[in-house]
Amino acid sequence: MRLGVTMFATDLAMPVHELARAAEERGFDSLYVPEHTHIPVSRRTPYPGGGELPEEYKRTLDPLVALSYAAAVTRDLRVGTGILLAAQRDPIVTAKALATLDHLSGGRVVVGVGFGWNVEEIENHGVPYGRRREVARRNVLAMQAMWRDEVARVEGLEPSWSWPKPVRVPPVYLGGAAGPKLFAQVAEYGDGWMPIGGRGIKAALPALREACEKAGRPQACEVVPFGTLPSREKLDYYASLGITQVVATLPSGPADVILPLLDEYAALL
């Protein structure tokens, strides 16, 4: 079982390069950071977790800049977005940034992609909320073509060169609740599913596998439980389902809060 960690990287939390170094020293496989470009103050969209929006949502660092610092001070730690809001990003610029990060890190980038829940944030990027999945799909397919092909041919763009190429095309895991719409997208262009926590995974696995088999991509049905509170029992349960990697959650806090938790989680490795 490979165990990674995720934390809201902010200007008030433990510096991301220090967290990355501490995680690698303790044997963790990966470090993921989330994305929110901004949070409109209207707060018309309720926080999905209920209650007031946590402070870290307002203060999130740019994930690709943060991960470049994490990669620079580590040798083997995989660095990932958990998650990248693909509908809110220019695919040409983002493909270049991720390919550069993968090239410089020696092939350590993982791209967790989400569709977003904050209506105002998404619409501020010129994307109607109801079209966010469609736009995210288009953008990820464009990025994958730029990573993979010598001449990328993408709908709506001129045939284009884009270098550097990544060491290998970064795996793309799609986040979201289980269902036919999400699983169809995983099967089409993803490398797996990244559900928040682990509830309901066992019941959802047959539908995910069926969607991937139908698309002729059985290899795409990898599952990475994300943002879990790990325990030996939970990791053993995931292993019994054939899951080989899990990402544990850390609070967005200073080093004196984070390091003892890292030590506690590392004891499970």
Side-chain angles (χ1 to χ4, degrees):
M1 178 68 70
R2 291 181 288 155
L3 186 60
V5 292
T6 182
M7 183 191 77
F8 262 87
T10 76
D11 56 326
L12 301 180
M14 182 179 183
V16 71
H17 64 285
E18 294 179 11
L19 173 59
R21 189 183 292 117
E24 182 165 79
E25 288 170 352
R26 288 161 173 78
F28 289 95
D29 172 75
S30 53
L31 170 64
Y32 290 81
V33 297
E35 172 169 51
H36 280 282
T37 55
H38 66 301
I39 297 292
V41 299
S42 73
R43 303 299 311 114
R44 288 186 287 114
T45 306
Y47 172 52
E52 291 297 316
L53 184 75
E55 181 70 15
E56 56 261 31
Y57 281 79
K58 310 170 189 175
R59 314 187 75 101
T60 310
L61 302 184
D62 178 273
L64 305 189
V65 176
L67 291 175
S68 71
Y69 274 71
V73 298
T74 54
R75 291 187 57 187
D76 300 309
L77 189 77
R78 296 191 304 151
V79 292
T81 56
I83 47 70
L84 182 89
L85 294 169
Q88 299 178 191
R89 282 183 161 265
D90 179 291
I92 304 171
V93 174
T94 306
K96 170 80 77 172
L98 285 165
T100 300
L101 179 57
D102 194 77
H103 171 76
L104 294 176
S105 69
R108 291 189 277 145
V109 170
V110 182
V111 185
V113 168
F115 303 104
W117 56 268
N118 190 312
V119 177
E120 305 95 281
E121 177 184 359
I122 294 164
E123 292 185 344
N124 282 179
H125 287 275
V127 178
Y129 183 74
R131 293 190 60 225
R132 70 197 188 285
R133 289 177 181 270
E134 171 191 342
V135 174
R137 171 186 176 275
R138 179 196 68 195
N139 289 353
V140 173
L141 289 172
M143 291 192 294
Q144 290 172 326
M146 291 175 193
W147 296 333
R148 181 186 63 238
D149 301 335
E150 181 172 349
V151 176
R153 289 176 169 83
V154 177
E155 182 181 353
L157 301 177
E158 291 283 336
S160 299
W161 293 307
S162 181
W163 271 273
K165 298 300 183 187
V167 173
R168 49 86 176 107
V169 173
V172 172
Y173 298 107
L174 301 188
K181 187 179 295 185
L182 177 67
F183 289 168
Q185 290 195 292
V186 172
E188 180 190 5
Y189 64 87
D191 295 285
W193 175 36
M194 185 176 272
I196 301 297
R199 186 175 300 172
I201 287 178
K202 184 176 182 179
L205 278 175
L208 174 62
R209 289 170 179 154
E210 181 182 359
C212 293
E213 291 282 353
K214 187 180 293 185
R217 301 185 68 243
Q219 75 278 10
C221 66
E222 185 176 1
V223 178
V224 183
F226 187 83
T228 66
L229 292 171
S231 67
R232 172 53 51 207
E233 295 73 22
K234 191 177 290 186
L235 295 182
D236 287 345
Y237 171 69
Y238 291 146
S240 75
L241 299 177
I243 290 168
T244 59
Q245 59 173 315
V246 174
V247 181
T249 190
L250 294 167
S252 185
D256 60 355
V257 172
I258 299 302
L259 293 178
L261 272 175
L262 279 181
D263 290 333
E264 180 182 326
Y265 293 170
L268 300 171
L269 293 171

